[in-house]
Amino acid sequence: MERKIFGLGDIVLMKKPHPCGTNEMEIIRMGMDIRIKCTGCHHSVLIPRAKFEKNMKKVLRSAGGENHE
């Protein structure tokens, strides 16, 4: 299985929606844990990188044209 490529500021599509109803999230912090912010209600959540990579479907919009890991 290949690693998913994503970067800081990217808008990603998650497998499960946030309780507010949207499943689009913005990556606002990267490290061993990833902080994502809901694009609907702006609530932020800190989750482990492995769980994030498992639950992310795809990158919808890249922040700077080039993705970094």
Side-chain angles (χ1 to χ4, degrees):
M1 189 170 96
E2 73 179 63
R3 275 182 83 110
K4 298 175 182 173
I5 305 297
F6 52 88
L8 191 63
D10 290 354
I11 305 294
V12 297
L13 184 69
M14 302 300 281
K15 287 182 181 176
K16 294 183 180 179
H18 189 253
C20 73
T22 184
N23 58 352
E24 291 182 16
M25 301 282 187
E26 178 185 359
I27 300 172
I28 57 175
R29 180 180 178 272
M30 290 179 62
M32 282 301 294
D33 296 323
I34 307 241
R35 184 169 294 277
I36 54 176
K37 180 172 71 171
C38 177
T39 58
C41 67
H42 303 291
H43 182 263
S44 68
V45 181
L46 185 68
I47 59 174
R49 179 181 283 265
K51 185 174 180 183
F52 172 79
E53 288 179 358
K54 182 179 149 228
N55 291 329
M56 183 185 91
K57 275 190 179 178
K58 64 180 179 177
V59 175
L60 296 175
R61 290 184 297 279
S62 180
E66 182 181 331
N67 287 330
H68 302 285
E69 188 140 346

